[in-house]
Amino acid sequence: MVDLDWKAKIVSSNMPSKSPKLSNKLHVSVPGSFRAACQVQTDILAASDMSCSTYEHYLRLPELRQLWSSHDFPSWKNESVLKPALQALEITFRFVSTVLSDPRPYSNRREGKRRLESLTTSQIQLIAMLIEDDEEDSETRGMAPIVDLSTSNGELARDGSMAEVWSSGEHTVVSRISEASLLPRLATWHKSEGMAQKILYSIECEMRNCPYSLGLGEPNLAGKPNLDYDAVCKPSELHSLRKSPYDAHVDSYENQTVYATHQVLESWVHVCRELLKRVTSRIESRDFEKAASDCYMIERIWKLLAEIEDLHLLMDPADFLRLKNQLRIKTVDDTESFCFRSKALVEMTKLCKELRHKVPVILGVEVDPKGGPRIQEAAMRLYSEKKAGSDSDFGSENIHVLQALQAIESALKRFYYAYKQVLVVLMGSLEAKGNLVVVNPETCDSLSRIFLEPTYFPSLDAAKTFLGDSINHDIHGGDRRSRRTH
C-alpha cells in the first residue's frame, strides 16, 4: 500500500522540536541552476574582425566618426557630446522622409509615423537636457556657437540660412532657419507637413528652459538666440552619407530602414561613450551632483537605444529576410549576433559595467583586501545616516550617484533583453539563440548571459537587503514589545 503521508513524515522528522530564535542574519537559498548560471563567463565580446569591419563599411562609420569627432569650436567643451546628438536627430529627419516615401502599398506607414514622432521627441528631450547641463556648468556656459543680433553687430549673414527679424514690443526677435536641415523642407511637403509641425512644436516645448533654440523653424516665442545649427551639425556633409555602399547590389526598400536605424543608434552610442568619460572624471574629482546627472542621462540613452531597435518590428518579414540573405547576415554562433558587430556598443557596455569600480570612491572607503564587507557597511551607513546639505563629506549627492549607477545597469540589461525579443520577431527564436538548439544555464547564448548575470553592484545590493531586514526587525520587534507592555 502506498503511504500517502510520506511527505509530511519527512518534513516533521527534519523539523526541530523547538522554534528557533529569530536570527539577525538573512538566509537565502540559492538554487543550483542559478549558481551555475552565475559561474558562466559574462565578459561581452565583439564579433569577428571580418563581421565588424563589414558592419562598419555598410554603415559608413569611418566617415560618420570624422563628422562626430571634428572640433570646429575649440572653446566649446561639450561639442563632442552635442554634435553627434544633433546629427542623430538630423538622420532621423531623413528617416522620416524615407518612411513617408515608401512606395510599397503594404507598408505600415501609420505606425511608422507614430514611432518616428516618438523617437524624435525622445531625442529632442535628451538634447535639451544636454544643453541645460551645459549651461549650468560654469566652465561651459555661454560657449555654444549661437546667432543673434548682439553677436553680429545687428547684421545677419545669409550664408546658407534663412533669417527673419520682427519686433515684439521693445524687443527685436530674430529667427534664423537652417536651409541645410531637412526639417524645414519636411514642413513644406504635403505628406510630412503635419508631422514636421509636431516636431517643431516639440522643439519649442522641450527647449523652453534652454538659453537658445535650435533654429530649425520652431516658433521661438521667447525670442531666444539660435544655435548655429548648420555650422555645428553640418547637415549637407551628413546627408552625403545617405546611401549605403550596398545600395547598388541590394534590391530592398528595407535596406534604407536598417541603414538609417543603425546610423542613428551608432550616433547615440558615440554620445554615450563621451558621457561615460565625463562621468569617470567627475566621480574622481568628487563632483557627485554632476556625475549623477550624467549617469541618469546614460540611463535614458540606453532606453533610447531600445526604442531605436524597436523600429525593426515594423519591417515587412519577407522583405527583411530577403535583405538579410542579400547582405549575407548569418549568425554562425552566439557571438555573431548583429549587435555584437558594433564595437562601439560592446565598448559602451563594458564601460558601463566598469563603473562598479567607482563605488569605493563614492563611499570614501578602500576595498578590503581580505574580502570583508567594508563597502557594504559603508553603503548601509550612507543610506541610513544621510545628511543632505550638511557639512558632512557624505550626503544625498552620494546616494544619487549610487542610485544612478544601478539605474544604468537596469537599463542596460533591459536593452539586451528587448533586443533579443526583437531578433525573435524578425528572424525566429533559433537565430536569436545563436543557433543553439538547446539552451540551459550552462550553455545559454551571449545575449541571455548579459541580462541574466548577477548584479554589477553586489555590495550595494547586500547593503539594501540587510538594511531592509534590519529596519523590518526594528519595526516589528518594537510592535511586539509594545503589545507585551499592554
Side-chain angles (χ1 to χ4, degrees):
M1 183 178 291
V2 179
D3 187 357
L4 298 177
D5 295 329
W6 66 276
K7 288 186 179 179
K9 290 180 180 178
I10 292 175
V11 173
S12 61
S13 65
N14 293 329
M15 290 181 65
S17 57
K18 294 182 180 181
S19 299
K21 293 182 180 180
L22 180 64
S23 173
N24 288 330
K25 295 182 178 180
L26 185 67
H27 299 279
V28 181
S29 177
V30 181
S33 61
F34 183 77
R35 286 197 297 269
C38 295
Q39 295 170 0
V40 175
Q41 184 69 25
T42 57
D43 289 341
I44 179 173
L45 300 174
S48 64
D49 290 340
M50 177 70 72
S51 298
C52 292
S53 61
T54 303
Y55 173 83
E56 294 193 359
H57 178 66
Y58 170 69
L59 295 178
R60 304 184 69 174
L61 287 184
E63 296 99 315
L64 272 177
R65 287 196 191 100
Q66 290 182 358
L67 292 176
W68 297 333
S69 305
S70 62
H71 296 285
D72 304 304
F73 308 95
S75 60
W76 189 23
K77 193 174 180 180
N78 286 340
E79 180 184 4
S80 61
V81 176
L82 271 169
K83 176 177 286 186
L86 292 170
Q87 289 171 342
L89 184 64
E90 185 64 34
I91 295 172
T92 308
F93 299 155
R94 188 184 76 218
F95 197 2
V96 170
S97 175
T98 299
V99 170
L100 297 180
S101 302
D102 192 342
R104 296 172 300 169
Y106 51 85
S107 63
N108 194 346
R109 292 189 191 85
R110 176 180 294 181
E111 187 61 25
K113 287 175 61 177
R114 289 173 177 171
R115 296 218 176 195
L116 282 175
E117 285 175 1
S118 174
L119 176 63
T120 304
T121 301
S122 298
Q123 292 182 83
I124 294 169
Q125 288 174 346
L126 275 170
I127 290 170
M129 292 170 63
L130 289 170
I131 292 174
E132 288 174 19
D133 289 353
D134 190 15
E135 289 301 309
E136 289 175 1
D137 190 342
S138 58
E139 296 182 2
T140 58
R141 185 184 304 123
M143 297 298 178
I146 59 174
V147 177
D148 63 0
L149 287 177
S150 62
T151 59
S152 58
N153 296 320
E155 297 179 1
L156 286 171
R158 294 294 300 273
D159 51 352
S161 292
M162 297 179 291
E164 296 180 359
V165 182
W166 68 92
S167 297
S168 176
E170 298 178 354
H171 303 284
T172 301
V173 178
V174 180
S175 179
R176 192 182 194 219
I177 304 174
S178 166
E179 282 190 348
S181 173
L182 282 179
L183 184 58
R185 302 180 196 180
L186 291 174
T188 61
W189 185 30
H190 70 281
K191 287 187 177 181
S192 59
E193 182 180 1
M195 189 175 178
Q197 289 298 327
K198 291 180 70 174
I199 294 173
L200 290 171
Y201 285 122
S202 294
I203 295 174
E204 178 72 13
C205 293
E206 299 300 335
M207 300 285 290
R208 63 188 181 278
N209 293 327
C210 300
Y212 54 84
S213 195
L214 295 184
L216 293 174
E218 63 273 20
N220 194 14
L221 299 176
K224 294 184 291 188
N226 297 134
L227 178 73
D228 196 349
Y229 185 88
D230 289 351
V232 174
C233 184
K234 300 181 178 179
S236 298
E237 296 181 32
L238 191 65
H239 294 312
S240 68
L241 306 177
R242 68 184 181 278
K243 290 186 178 181
S244 165
Y246 293 88
D247 278 358
H249 311 286
V250 174
D251 183 21
S252 175
Y253 201 83
E254 297 293 9
N255 185 43
Q256 287 299 316
T257 301
V258 174
Y259 184 67
T261 299
H262 284 88
Q263 280 195 337
V264 174
L265 182 136
E266 289 291 338
S267 298
W268 279 106
V269 167
H270 185 82
V271 174
C272 192
R273 292 175 67 190
E274 292 296 320
L275 286 174
L276 283 163
K277 295 178 187 176
R278 199 163 76 180
V279 165
T280 301
S281 174
R282 286 177 169 177
I283 290 177
E284 291 175 351
S285 62
R286 305 187 68 80
D287 191 352
F288 296 134
E289 183 179 2
K290 293 177 182 176
S293 178
D294 284 343
C295 285
Y296 280 118
M297 196 86 66
I298 292 169
E299 179 212 11
R300 286 174 175 265
I301 290 177
W302 275 113
K303 293 178 178 178
L304 178 68
L305 298 185
E307 187 177 357
I308 294 170
E309 289 291 354
D310 280 348
L311 293 173
H312 290 97
L313 298 175
L314 298 179
M315 293 194 292
D316 180 76
D319 288 352
F320 172 75
L321 292 173
R322 190 177 297 110
L323 171 67
K324 175 176 174 291
N325 282 277
Q326 289 177 340
L327 294 176
R328 297 180 181 179
I329 301 173
K330 180 64 178 176
T331 304
V332 179
D333 55 46
D334 65 331
T335 62
E336 292 290 316
S337 184
F338 199 69
C339 67
F340 296 141
R341 304 181 188 205
S342 170
K343 289 184 177 180
L345 180 62
V346 171
E347 181 65 22
M348 170 182 164
T349 304
K350 290 180 178 179
L351 290 174
C352 287
K353 294 177 68 173
E354 290 302 311
L355 289 175
R356 58 189 167 186
H357 298 306
K358 300 301 176 184
V359 172
V361 178
I362 299 168
L363 293 172
V365 297
E366 294 183 359
V367 178
D368 190 341
K370 297 181 178 180
R374 186 183 296 171
I375 298 177
Q376 174 188 324
E377 292 169 353
M380 290 178 67
R381 285 194 301 271
L382 176 64
Y383 291 144
S384 59
E385 301 173 5
K386 58 183 175 295
K387 298 178 182 179
S390 68
D391 295 332
S392 173
D393 292 335
F394 302 99
S396 58
E397 293 85 1
N398 303 67
I399 296 178
H400 295 167
V401 180
L402 295 176
Q403 291 290 97
L405 292 179
Q406 290 189 289
I408 290 175
E409 177 190 4
S410 176
L412 183 158
K413 290 182 176 179
R414 280 202 301 268
F415 167 79
Y416 282 104
Y417 179 81
Y419 182 81
K420 184 171 181 179
Q421 308 314 308
V422 170
L423 289 185
V424 170
V425 174
L426 288 177
M427 308 179 192
S429 57
L430 183 61
E431 189 90 14
K433 295 174 184 175
N435 284 316
L436 296 174
V437 179
V438 179
V439 178
N440 57 57
E442 287 81 4
T443 61
C444 58
D445 59 280
S446 297
L447 283 174
S448 298
R449 286 199 293 269
I450 294 174
F451 58 78
L452 289 177
E453 66 180 312
T455 176
Y456 306 153
F457 307 96
S459 296
L460 301 183
D461 181 73
K464 291 178 179 178
T465 301
F466 283 98
L467 181 61
D469 184 62
S470 175
I471 293 173
N472 180 66
H473 183 266
D474 292 342
I475 292 175
H476 293 288
D479 291 342
R480 284 193 292 269
R481 286 192 296 272
S482 63
R483 283 196 295 268
R484 283 197 295 269
T485 57
H486 292 294

